[in-house]
Amino acid sequence: MTQTANASVSAGSEGSGHAKATVVTRFAPSPSGHLHVGGARTALFCWAFAKGRGGKFLLRIEDTDQKRSSDAASVGFLKDLEWLGIRWDEGPEYKAPDGSTVGGGPHGPYFQSERLDLYNREIERLIAAGKAYYAFDTAEELDAKRKAAQAAKQPYRYDRAALALSKDEVEAKRKAGVPAVVRCKVPAGPITIQDEILGTVTLPDGEVDDFVIRKVDGFPTYHFAVVVDDEFMQVTHVLRAQEHFTNTAKHMVLQDHLGYRRPTYGHLPIITNPDGSKMSKRDKDKTLRAAVQAKGLTAPPAGIANLDVAAWTKWLGDKNVQLDIEVANALAAALDVALPEINVDDFKRSGYLPGVLSNFLALNGWSPGENREKFDLAFIREHFNLDRVQKTPAKFDRVKLLAFNCDAITALPREDYVRLVRAHGERYYPEFLTKLTPDQFRMLADASHERSKTLDDLYRSNRWVVVTDEALVWEDSKNVKKAVVDKSADGSPSGLERLRAVRPLLEGVTDWTASSIEAAVKTYADAHCEGNLGKVAQPLRVGVTGGTVSPPIFDTLAILGKASTLRRLDRCLEHFAR
Ligand code: GLU
């Protein structure tokens, strides 16, 4: 079967009939989980490109792949975008935390699964025009042909077997309910893609075969739905990941068949780990496997839902098996390891500020020039352009991101830090907020602000706040020993001896505030260590927190309260006396 000769199709740039149209971009995620940083970067660039040109940014949920989609996932996406400060002018309606409604608009519905009538109408139009056709090949038949091509070292292309059927035969099969897909009839000739980032690329004749546009289950394929929606939603600029570059050829064929406009294309470089590997959820499993190995664990830690011995063994034995995200998080907590962040929600959970993440994401593939690295969303919106988008993959530098976040957190006015760190705790560490009074929390926040790289640091480094007095354990470390056990060379008392002497003074403090505690300890220091409070501070710190790092010691004791302080000191004296 020969293909009908046809002029080659080529993608126009600004000049394809809609140069004066309002810029409309869209972000079109498939809701297959949380919003990946790569997707977030695409959304950010689409948003900035449109908003910086007085245009519209649209959000569309591509949920035609029934196996992967879920409503919960798309809600997660909406939240993640909104958290980053990326609001869509059109798209699914979403109630933002500030009470305003985001989305809606005249081109809905914005879930592809609700637009099937439109797709079917357009597919019928193509079939009637002879530009698409039913194909009844079974999966086995196609598989055999694919394997034969492979064996012959030939690229597989659909052979148009379905076109050998007569019109009557096709109708009879349709009537009998034989499962069928619909394929697009791709004209012969090279296809030239004009890309605003990658330049002009021509795919040779035969590169694109007659691809499926409607699946057996009646749903359109991604290729078909995306082309119809971009037309009906009046999208002018398609900015998306480079992995879609060759798909663009298919989309152009469909646009020509259907008599649609040609949007301007720009394909964005992918974001990778520093070693060039794909940033994927697998990185979490990799981190967990390494931690399990380092700790020499042979069985799953107790109490993790859905992780029994069978699941554990399967996961450890097969690198391709991934744990569910909840299971992975629970295992990470049990092993006390931090998982690499992959999705926007992971960064939120780790205590990154949304403005820092969007700033950093923008630098993954774009730069405003003049070595400028720190900027906010308004700056991105004003300055983002396609000329400065790089072609090569962008390496995601976590160390730099953390440094950016640290700078931003320490630069926050104190009140803002307290508000944000409290909100973070309400969400992820409610046990801290039930344990502490507002004043105690404030004291902890004041003491933590300057040392924090993330909003999570306060909670991760102050577990002593929530651990019960009876469950407190002392770090088995040189520094801890030095603070409480070791005798100094000059024969002065050890930390434990000092604790024993200070304890009754603390017991005598009636109003348990940082300054009264300090006064009591000072009495001891004046008498026994020439007023050097530091000699008592570190043993006290170890005594009540189990380690050598905490906020200023008198704040620490005030936050803890008198009863807990005395109980912990007693346990410490007992523990090290053994
Ligand atoms: N649903 C596609 C994805 O998530 C969208 C691709 C496009 O923007 O055309 O990758």
Side-chain angles (χ1 to χ4, degrees), residues 26 28-30 62 222 226 238-240 243-244 251:
R26 88 299 193 274
S30 313
E62 304 212 323
Y222 153 67
V226 86
V238 172
L239 308 180
R240 63 183 169 201
E243 67 198 34
H244 289 293
H251 302 174

Side-chain angles (χ1 to χ4, degrees), residues 4-125:
T4 336
N6 203 320
S8 67
V9 280
S10 82
S13 177
E14 299 280 352
S16 50
H18 57 273
K20 288 191 197 80
T22 310
V23 169
V24 179
T25 61
R26 88 299 193 274
F27 176 52
S30 313
S32 53
H34 280 286
L35 179 59
H36 185 276
V37 282
R41 200 266 327 256
T42 299
L44 175 64
F45 286 176
C46 289
W47 170 85
F49 188 84
K51 303 312 286 175
R53 287 161 183 73
K56 273 196 305 190
F57 170 62
L58 194 144
L59 177 64
R60 177 173 78 221
I61 306 294
E62 304 212 323
D63 59 348
T64 57
D65 191 344
Q66 289 288 285
K67 285 183 287 296
R68 293 194 305 163
S69 302
S70 87
D71 276 356
S74 35
V75 173
F77 270 86
L78 308 187
K79 263 194 198 151
D80 294 341
L81 285 173
E82 211 278 333
W83 179 73
L84 280 170
I86 301 174
R87 290 191 162 204
W88 48 104
D89 301 300
E90 276 188 43
E93 275 193 22
Y94 173 74
K95 205 144 192 80
D98 68 4
S100 61
T101 301
V102 185
H107 301 101
Y110 296 93
F111 284 81
Q112 286 188 331
S113 58
E114 295 168 20
R115 299 171 65 81
L116 297 186
D117 288 350
L118 171 63
Y119 305 135
N120 282 330
R121 252 193 343 261
E122 292 298 83
I123 286 178
E124 293 308 328
R125 197 153 73 77

